Amino acid sequence: MGREHWKRIWIGSAGNMVEWFDWFVYASFATYFAGAFFPSGNPTAQLMNTAGIFAVGFFMRPVGGWLLGRVGDRRGRKAALTLTVTLMSASAVLIAVAPTYAVAGYGGALVLLVARLLQGLSVGGEYAASATYLTEATDPRRRGFASSFQYVSMTAGQIVGLGLLIVLQRTMSDDALHRYGWRIPFVVGALGAAVVFHLRRTMLETEVYAQDASGSEERGTLRALWRHRREAFLVIALTMGGTVAYYTYTTYLTKYLSNSAGLAKETATLVSFTALLVFACLQPLAGRLSDRIGRRPLLITFAVGSTVLTVPIMILLKHADGYWPALGLALLALVVVTGYTSINACVKAELFPTGVRALGVALPYAIANALFGGTAEYVALWFKSAGAESGFFWYVAGCAAVSLVVYVTMRETKDLDLTRVPSHEASGVTTAS
């Protein structure tokens, strides 16, 4: 890759990192601010309330996917990426200044809800704009490698958030963290977003988009997307298993280790932090491998592994009695998930022509995340509160099994030309060749 390609990947990834820092910080710090916005009582009930608001953000993602996907196809990838980080900065500021239950009753929870709605809008468009930009901005022979940096940056955002949590846990008292310390990461997120906004204003548009000759009136429209509805439904199906598994072993893992396995919050946080560092390093390696052998082998490996191993891994994690056992199991799970995360961005982008690529990735992906990814944590806590926590393990395995059927029957996308992808060539559910 040339220097200019690396620059584009860096700018796209840096913005994605800040977006997902803000997104995941909510989940990472939920154990500290859950009691700030809701009446005191059962800690599990408080976590369910905050998880419910977390899930609401996901239900705004289809709206953001449609709105910002349309912007990305009609105005350019740069315009969409700049708008998403602006919305994310505003939401971080709102959470940082939100009043507590003791000060404003449920008014604070309302501010929290509005902030999550804005985050949902932002991330709903960020994923597709970033996936499209990273896929279009590189050599066709290295699209898997380049697009893998989307999950490198997403994971880096969470790593920074967890790292900040570890620092605050070691420099502030538990009482101070519960009273005001949890606001600090949201201030950091807002400042980071301002820096990325400046970077994205100077970024270059992709050549694939700039040279696209499709009709401007059709770009980014639902009518155009409907002509590629098979690909859109394919995105939903192939996302289902991956997004549930990803959120189970990232945003929910820390809570699971502390709330179910009984590990100290500090130990659970350190396990997640270390596992995610390794996970981030695996993404480019797996992405590069997909450029050699194709996308389907990695996707199938993920789905088989997740279907077979989820239940035993989650059961063993529940009985992990220290840092090392928990870390080993978490790493095993994330190695399996890498088969999906490292390449899912380019797979989806490769399915659509340029004029509807951002919307084609954004809307169906956001719908899948609203239905499965955003609700994973809430479903897990619901099973726990109902006294049937193992039901969630089978739920995750079942979602992976559904996606496995899609991976086995879909067509390989590695060699498709992004400048011209006719509908019949991009069709997903066909006999594998």
Side-chain angles (χ1 to χ4, degrees), residues 137-417:
T138 192
D139 188 316
R141 296 168 298 177
R142 294 182 174 87
R143 289 199 300 248
F145 175 77
S147 67
S148 71
F149 282 88
Q150 182 171 43
Y151 267 83
V152 171
S153 58
M154 286 172 61
T155 306
Q158 189 174 7
I159 289 172
V160 173
L162 287 171
L164 181 56
L165 175 57
I166 291 172
V167 170
L168 293 179
Q169 286 175 334
R170 282 156 175 72
T171 58
M172 300 179 68
S173 67
D174 190 67
D175 178 65
L177 270 172
H178 279 85
R179 285 189 293 111
Y180 65 88
W182 60 265
R183 297 182 187 272
I184 294 174
F186 296 103
V187 174
V188 172
L191 294 175
V195 173
V196 174
F197 175 79
H198 173 71
L199 290 174
R200 286 187 165 177
R201 287 189 66 187
T202 63
M203 73 192 298
L204 299 175
E205 189 59 79
T206 68
E207 293 180 6
V208 172
Y209 179 82
Q211 297 175 2
D212 179 47
S214 62
S216 59
E217 293 301 318
E218 288 292 308
R219 283 184 174 181
T221 63
L222 292 176
R223 184 189 311 119
L225 179 60
W226 182 249
R227 287 199 292 270
H228 298 274
R229 55 189 176 277
R230 293 185 66 185
E231 292 85 350
F233 285 117
L234 176 61
V235 169
I236 294 175
L238 68 87
T239 300
M240 178 182 178
T243 192
V244 171
Y246 177 73
Y247 282 100
T248 297
Y249 296 120
T250 55
T251 59
Y252 181 60
L253 180 63
T254 304
K255 298 182 186 67
Y256 180 69
L257 290 176
S258 61
N259 204 27
S260 295
L263 294 182
K265 288 180 181 178
E266 294 78 7
T267 302
T269 301
L270 188 59
V271 168
S272 293
F273 180 81
T274 309
L276 287 171
L277 276 176
V278 177
F279 178 68
C281 294
L282 291 174
Q283 304 309 300
L285 299 177
R288 190 70 186 100
L289 179 62
S290 79
D291 287 327
R292 293 180 177 273
I293 67 173
R295 321 300 188 207
R296 289 178 65 248
L298 272 70
L299 291 171
I300 292 172
T301 299
F302 150 71
V304 171
S306 191
T307 301
V308 174
L309 296 177
T310 292
V311 174
I313 287 176
M314 293 298 287
I315 291 175
L316 290 172
L317 275 173
K318 187 173 183 178
H319 295 92
D321 56 1
Y323 170 79
W324 290 108
L327 176 61
L329 290 165
L331 285 175
L332 174 60
L334 289 174
V335 167
V336 172
V337 174
T338 295
Y340 166 80
T341 56
S342 60
I343 58 171
N344 81 95
C346 66
V347 170
K348 294 162 188 172
E350 287 166 344
L351 291 171
F352 297 93
T354 303
V356 75
R357 184 168 293 129
L359 179 62
V361 175
L363 185 56
Y365 173 79
I367 290 173
N369 269 273
L371 295 175
F372 304 106
T375 58
E377 183 178 326
Y378 192 84
V379 171
L381 292 170
W382 181 85
F383 273 112
K384 179 177 176 59
S385 66
E389 191 167 33
S390 62
F392 175 68
F393 312 159
W394 290 101
Y395 168 75
V396 177
C399 289
V402 172
S403 288
L404 174 60
V405 175
V406 178
Y407 302 153
V408 170
T409 57
M410 71 180 286
R411 186 172 182 174
E412 181 58 62
T413 63
K414 177 175 73 74
D415 296 320
L416 290 176
D417 182 1

Side-chain angles (χ1 to χ4, degrees), residues 3-23:
R3 183 176 178 180
E4 187 60 41
H5 280 146
W6 278 112
K7 180 181 177 181
R8 292 183 179 188
I9 291 173
W10 157 243
I11 292 177
S13 298
N16 207 33
M17 181 180 72
V18 174
E19 291 267 6
W20 289 92
F21 168 85
D22 288 336
W23 183 260

